[in-house]
DNA sequence: TAGATTGTTAATCGATTAACAATC
DNA sequence: TAGATTGTTAATCGATTAACAATC
């Protein structure tokens, strides 16, 4: 219980990427791969791959490499794709609708369970086979259904209010799309998607590029 | 011309976050701030803030700290918010529409210039004051307008094809929303938003949380 | 068996933090 | 001036890479 050696967030963040590459290899019908070969495909060092994987266990075999399907399944287990985490979306605007329709999440074990809004024009609208519910029904819905994750796609000023509400209802995972760092006094896991931050990094790199080509 | 000492990507990625916090301070009417005070608000060390800022210049004053407005403007300049980069969106599905309507980008100096799709049901539809254009008009449009950035919101299998097309047209910045690492043989800046990677990291953390609370 | 490739320890590199002289 | 706080150098920490014995 919590005594495992601490695994750095840098390693964790690479896991989904390994998972994607292994999925591609599977689709290509490739059954085994060495850290060397994978390192070339991914553009990282073989050493890093072996170090990363050995944080979780010895999945390979000397002289052979890694069995693609086995490694794929193991990383899936580490990431919890079999946990079937259920999620609701708060805010049924374009972003909320986009997430509701994103089939990839289902494939990775995240189950779309409900979507909420305050806008009467949206309430009742069917999105990916589910009707948008009124926010006033959120409490009851969460009490009657096991909900693991809430995706927050509400306007900026509503975000802290909704985040607080959702955390009080006992939801343990928050996926935040507002350009704001959520801090909650609850035992909640928060993952931020700061789109404008990412775009500004692109802007910075473009600016550098322009400078250097002059 | 490219002779500046290399600034690490870790520093760059923190700049938009500084920019956000300084914007908040401005709105609160706070005119000066010390690295100490800012470090408390942001949950990082004062030392890191001073190191980061000094990659770009001495923006502070001993005994006083930093002038909020000045620092805000300086970081804005570094990030290139005054470059007024124009962008087009390829793919007018929910994600494309969400990005087209995201006012935050405009505020940060990114100008919404056009949106394209192949779906006849979407072509002609007005999104944030612009009609969705037919993909077959992309070449002409890009030739007649200075376009800096293309945001790719197309289906998985279309992504590499569209990315290649866009790069050939001379667009220098790509913002990719597909769960795929783009590699292009052109001199193009690519920034990825891998939503399912981010969600899987949340899934991992939730899984750990469940384990540790048992 | 010989060759290949892992798992793992040691070395290196880079990023973060601490310390403090400079100075507003 | 005295106190505060920067800019910057030095120390520490952690992450990446290299090396190689173990072994399939």
């Amino acid at each position: 219980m919590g005594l495992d050696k601490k695994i750095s967030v840098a390693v964790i963040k690479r896991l989904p990427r390994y998972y994607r590459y292994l999925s591609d290899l599977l689709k290509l019908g490739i059954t085994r791969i060495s850290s060397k070969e994978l390192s070339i495909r991914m553009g990282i060092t073989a050493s890093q791959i072996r170090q990363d994987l050995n944080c979780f266990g010895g999945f390979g075999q000397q002289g052979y490499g890694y069995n693609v399907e086995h490694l794929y399944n193991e990383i899936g287990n580490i990431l919890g794709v079999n946990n079937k985490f259920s999620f609701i979306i708060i805010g049924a605007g374009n972003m909320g609708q986009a997430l509701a329709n994103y089939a990839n999440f289902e494939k990775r074990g995240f189950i779309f369970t409900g979507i909420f809004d305050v806008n009467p024009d949206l309430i009742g609208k069917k999105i990916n086979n589910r009707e948008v519910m009124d926010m006033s029904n959120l409490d009851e819905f969460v009490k009657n259904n096991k909900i693991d994750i809430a995706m927050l796609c509400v306007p900026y000023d509503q975000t802290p209010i909704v985040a607080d509400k959702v955390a009080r209802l006992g939801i343990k995972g928050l996926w935040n799309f507002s350009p704001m760092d959520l801090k909650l006094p609850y035992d909640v896991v928060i993952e931020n998607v700061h789109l404008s931050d990412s775009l500004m990094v692109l802007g910075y790199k473009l600016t550098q590029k322009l400078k250097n080509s002059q």
Side-chain angles (χ1 to χ4, degrees), chain A residues 54-106:
Chain A
N54 276 87
C55 292
F56 304 98
F59 303 130
Q61 202 170 28
Q62 280 101 329
Y64 173 86
Y66 300 87
N67 177 284
V68 174
E69 191 174 2
H70 177 238
L71 187 56
Y72 175 76
N73 290 330
E74 288 287 356
I75 294 182
N77 285 333
I78 295 163
L79 286 168
V81 298
N82 302 315
N83 282 347
K84 301 292 169 201
F85 286 126
S86 61
F87 67 85
I88 56 172
I89 298 170
I90 319 271
N94 289 124
M95 183 58 76
Q97 292 189 34
L99 297 179
N101 285 304
Y102 201 49
N104 247 337
F105 298 158
E106 203 96 15

Side-chain angles (χ1 to χ4, degrees), chain A residues 194-208:
Chain A
H194 290 319
L195 290 180
S196 25
D197 284 19
S198 167
L199 184 55
M200 290 182 97
V201 170
L202 178 58
Y204 173 85
K205 290 179 179 171
L206 273 178
T207 306
Q208 291 311 106

Side-chain angles (χ1 to χ4, degrees), chain A residues 1 8 12 31 44 71 73 79 96 126 140 174 186 192 199:
Chain A
M1 353 161 15
S8 84
I12 306 304
T31 54
I44 58 179
L71 187 56
N73 290 330
L79 286 168
K126 215 155 198 176
E140 205 198 337
L174 252 64
Y186 309 94
N192 295 298
L199 184 55

Side-chain angles (χ1 to χ4, degrees), chain A residues 109-129:
Chain A
F110 297 91
I111 314 300
F112 174 45
T113 310
I115 178 164
F116 294 84
D117 208 296
V118 290
N119 182 348
D121 295 346
L122 289 171
I123 294 167
K125 187 182 172 187
K126 215 155 198 176
I127 295 168
N128 195 4
N129 291 320

Side-chain angles (χ1 to χ4, degrees), chain A residues 24-212:
Chain A
D24 290 347
L25 290 172
L26 265 184
K27 277 181 208 137
L28 292 169
I30 295 170
T31 54
R32 62 165 278 224
I33 193 149
S34 68
S35 58
K36 181 81 193 305
E37 167 70 15
L38 186 57
S39 78
I40 292 165
R41 287 175 182 265
M42 295 184 68
I44 58 179
T45 64
S47 207
Q48 180 164 71
I49 292 173
R50 294 203 301 279
Q51 285 276 24
D52 283 355
L53 298 179
N54 276 87
C55 292
F56 304 98
F59 303 130
Q61 202 170 28
Q62 280 101 329
Y64 173 86
Y66 300 87
N67 177 284
V68 174
E69 191 174 2
H70 177 238
L71 187 56
Y72 175 76
N73 290 330
E74 288 287 356
I75 294 182
N77 285 333
I78 295 163
L79 286 168
V81 298
N82 302 315
N83 282 347
K84 301 292 169 201
F85 286 126
S86 61
F87 67 85
I88 56 172
I89 298 170
I90 319 271
N94 289 124
M95 183 58 76
Q97 292 189 34
L99 297 179
N101 285 304
Y102 201 49
N104 247 337
F105 298 158
E106 203 96 15
K107 274 191 225 152
R108 281 161 173 64
F110 297 91
I111 314 300
F112 174 45
T113 310
I115 178 164
F116 294 84
D117 208 296
V118 290
N119 182 348
D121 295 346
L122 289 171
I123 294 167
K125 187 182 172 187
K126 215 155 198 176
I127 295 168
N128 195 4
N129 291 320
R130 293 188 176 274
E131 280 185 11
V132 176
M133 289 174 273
D134 190 322
M135 266 300 269
S136 63
N137 298 326
L138 180 68
D139 292 45
E140 205 198 337
F141 185 84
V142 174
K143 271 165 199 150
N144 295 332
N145 298 272
K146 185 186 85 60
I147 304 300
D148 300 301
I149 295 169
M151 304 182 176
L152 303 189
C153 306
V154 297
Y156 187 81
D157 55 332
Q158 287 300 306
T159 304
I161 300 162
V162 172
D164 191 78
K165 186 183 190 62
V166 153
R168 279 177 197 276
L169 289 171
I171 293 177
K172 292 298 179 209
L174 252 64
W175 208 27
N176 171 38
F177 280 76
S178 268
M180 159 193 305
D181 300 315
L182 286 176
K183 280 272 152 53
L184 290 174
Y186 309 94
D187 184 24
V188 168
V189 178
I190 299 171
E191 199 66 22
N192 295 298
V193 178
H194 290 319
L195 290 180
S196 25
D197 284 19
S198 167
L199 184 55
M200 290 182 97
V201 170
L202 178 58
Y204 173 85
K205 290 179 179 171
L206 273 178
T207 306
Q208 291 311 106
K209 194 179 159 53
L210 290 176
K211 263 196 214 165
N212 291 335

